[in-house]
C-alpha cells in the first residue's frame, strides 16, 4: 500500500513537472512561429522550473526591447534614406540639364563649323566649277576636297 501511495505521488509530481515544462515549451514554440506576439510563461512556483520560467520571461522581454529598437532604427534609416534621396535629386537634375545643354551646344557648334567650312570652301569654288571635265562633272579634286572625311577633319 505504501508503494502504491508512493507511485501515485511520484506520478502526480511527474505530471505537474511535465505540465510546467510543456508550458515553457509551448511559449517557446509560439515565439518561433509569431515573433510579434509575446506571451510570457505563467509559473508562480519558486523552484528550478519557476526560475527557468522567470529567466525565459526576462529573455522574452529583452528580445522585445531589442526588436523595438531595431524597428526604430529601420524607420530612422528609411527616413534618412528618403532625405538623402531628396538632397541628391535636385543636384542630379541640374547636372542632367547641364549635360543636355552641353550636348546641344556641341551639336550646334558642329553645325556652325560645318557651315563655316562650307562657306570657306564655297568661296574658292567659282573657278573650279567653271572647269568641266570630259565626263561632265566638276573637278575630281574638288570632290575629294568636299568629301565627308574632309569636312569632319575641319
Amino acid at each position: 500500500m505504501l508503494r502504491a501511495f508512493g507511485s501515485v505521488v511520484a506520478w502526480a509530481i511527474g505530471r505537474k513537472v511535465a505540465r510546467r515544462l510543456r508550458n515553457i515549451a509551448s511559449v517557446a514554440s509560439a515565439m518561433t512561429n509569431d515573433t510579434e506576439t509575446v506571451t510570457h510563461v505563467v509559473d508562480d512556483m519558486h523552484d528550478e522550473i519557476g526560475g527557468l520560467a522567470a529567466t525565459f520571461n526576462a529573455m522574452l522581454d529583452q528580445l522585445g526591447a531589442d526588436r523595438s529598437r531595431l524597428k526604430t532604427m529601420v524607420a530612422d534609416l528609411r527616413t534618412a534614406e528618403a532625405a538623402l534621396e531628396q538632397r541628391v535629386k535636385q543636384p542630379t537634375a541640374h547636372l542632367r540639364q547641364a549635360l543636355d545643354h552641353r550636348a546641344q551646344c556641341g551639336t550646334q557648334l558642329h553645325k556652325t563649323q560645318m557651315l563655316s567650312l562650307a562657306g570657306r570652301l564655297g568661296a574658292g569654288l567659282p573657278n573650279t566649277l567653271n572647269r568641266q571635265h570630259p565626263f561632265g562633272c566638276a573637278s575630281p579634286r574638288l570632290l575629294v576636297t568636299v568629301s565627308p572625311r574632309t569636312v569632319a577633319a575641319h
Side-chain angles (χ1 to χ4, degrees):
M1 175 103 116
L2 195 53
R3 261 190 218 175
F5 178 72
S7 295
V8 169
V9 170
W11 175 79
I13 291 173
R15 188 170 171 172
K16 185 175 181 180
V17 168
R19 182 177 39 82
R20 290 170 66 200
L21 290 173
R22 275 194 306 274
N23 187 21
I24 294 171
S26 69
V27 171
S29 180
M31 277 298 296
T32 61
N33 296 328
D34 181 12
T35 58
E36 293 298 319
T37 305
V38 177
T39 304
H40 285 84
V41 177
V42 178
D43 192 320
D44 296 329
M45 301 297 286
H46 299 289
D47 58 358
E48 288 82 3
I49 296 175
L52 175 63
T55 303
F56 191 80
N57 287 336
M59 181 183 69
L60 290 177
D61 291 339
Q62 184 62 44
L63 286 172
D66 290 345
R67 182 181 306 112
S68 180
R69 278 193 302 274
L70 284 174
K71 283 182 178 182
T72 301
M73 283 189 230
V74 167
D76 290 346
L77 285 173
R78 286 189 177 139
T79 302
E81 179 185 32
L84 182 60
E85 184 72 29
Q86 285 298 83
R87 286 179 51 200
V88 169
K89 194 178 279 186
Q90 186 177 11
T92 302
H94 289 307
L95 181 59
R96 279 195 187 109
Q97 287 175 345
L99 288 174
D100 289 345
H101 181 70
R102 183 182 182 278
Q104 289 172 353
C105 288
T107 301
Q108 189 61 38
L109 177 64
H110 181 72
K111 287 179 183 178
T112 303
Q113 288 172 341
M114 290 294 122
L115 289 173
S116 173
L117 178 62
R120 283 185 285 161
L121 289 174
L125 286 183
N127 292 335
T128 309
L129 288 177
N130 289 334
R131 284 188 269 143
Q132 293 291 319
H133 289 275
F135 49 88
C137 74
S139 164
R141 184 169 179 217
L142 173 66
L143 294 176
V144 170
T145 305
V146 186
S147 72
R149 281 188 227 155
T150 307
V151 171
H154 287 69

